[in-house]
């Protein structure tokens, strides 16, 4: 079984568009900009042996306000810059859309990726910038790391850890991994 870091996309790897204090996905390829720390943070995680799996809700596709081709082009650009092992995408916009049951905060995308890639969810991490990511990670049994971008919305469940950006998240995960691999010394 392998360990993974599950990464939300918007607000974690790339800059979201902010309206009224809330993040929205970029609409055009021009607006799709990676944070400068995204590639180095992912490189650290990969060197430490983690699989990198993006898990993203893109309901604008289901609503018909975004084209799937543009989202796929964004993901091709993402893969050029970051060596990802897998991308899970949920385009469902409402309960009638196919794939709705996988939409975060449901854990379906993590469970599917775990089955496909042989991932041990209990020793894996979910990194996200919104409550849906945290609740999804917890439902899957992962350790959750919240990137606090100070949006105008509250979390619903308490994350295991809270950081400022993806590089801090990566450093934290490496520290936690190291701590968990230190052999337990029995006290006498
Ligand atoms: Mg996000």
């Amino acid at each position: 079984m392998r360990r993974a870091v599950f990464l939300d996309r918007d607000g974690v790897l790339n800059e979201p568009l902010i309206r009224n204090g809330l993040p929205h996905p970029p609409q055009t390829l021009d607006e799709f900009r990676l944070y400068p720390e995204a590639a180095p943070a992912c490189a650290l995680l990969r060197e430490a042996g983690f699989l990198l799996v993006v898990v993203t809700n893109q309901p604008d596709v289901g609503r018909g306000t975004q084209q799937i081709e543009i989202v796929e082009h964004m993901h091709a650009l993402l893969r050029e810059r970051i060596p990802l092992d897998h991308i899970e995408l949920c385009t469902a916009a409402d309960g009638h859309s196919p794939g709705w049951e996988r939409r975060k905060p449901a854990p379906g995308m993590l469970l599917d990726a775990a089955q496909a890639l042989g991932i041990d969810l209990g020793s894996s991490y979910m990194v996200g910038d919104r409550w849906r990511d945290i609740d999804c990670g917890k439902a899957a049994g992962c350790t959750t790391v919240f990137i606090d971008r100070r949006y105008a919305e509250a979390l619903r469940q308490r994350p295991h850890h809270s950081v400022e950006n993806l590089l801090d998240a990566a450093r934290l995960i490496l520290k936690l991994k190291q701590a968990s691999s230190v052999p337990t010394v029995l006290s006498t």
Side-chain angles (χ1 to χ4, degrees), residues 35-136:
Y35 287 111
E37 70 271 19
C42 288
L44 284 179
L45 292 169
R46 197 156 230 275
E47 278 164 30
F50 287 99
L51 293 172
L52 298 177
V53 179
V54 171
V55 287
T56 180
N57 287 347
Q58 295 296 329
D60 288 348
V61 174
R63 287 183 196 115
T65 56
Q66 175 62 294
Q67 297 170 42
I68 185 70
E69 291 78 11
I70 293 182
V71 172
E72 282 170 353
H73 198 151
M74 287 174 182
H75 292 177
L77 294 174
L78 198 54
R79 285 178 181 280
E80 274 176 23
R81 299 275 303 278
I82 299 176
L84 299 169
D85 293 286
H86 194 59
I87 297 179
E88 288 281 346
L89 167 68
C90 178
T91 59
D94 60 41
H96 302 293
S97 313
W100 171 253
E101 69 288 347
R102 288 175 11 113
R103 185 173 192 243
K104 294 180 286 183
M109 289 195 279
L110 277 61
L111 302 181
D112 287 350
Q115 191 160 30
L117 302 178
I119 294 167
D120 175 29
L121 290 165
S123 58
S124 294
Y125 296 83
M126 172 73 212
V127 182
D129 65 330
R130 299 187 79 174
W131 70 267
R132 286 177 185 280
D133 305 311
I134 300 310
D135 290 14
C136 163

Side-chain angles (χ1 to χ4, degrees), residues 8-12 23 104 128-130 133 151:
D8 172 47
R9 196 194 80 174
D10 305 311
V12 172
K104 294 180 286 183
D129 65 330
R130 299 187 79 174
D133 305 311
Y151 302 137

Side-chain angles (χ1 to χ4, degrees), residues 12 35-45 127 147 149 163-174:
V12 172
Y35 287 111
E37 70 271 19
C42 288
L44 284 179
L45 292 169
V127 182
I147 297 184
R149 304 272 186 208
V163 297
E164 298 281 317
N165 58 53
L166 186 56
L167 195 55
D168 287 349
R171 288 180 178 140
L172 170 77
I173 290 167
L174 297 196

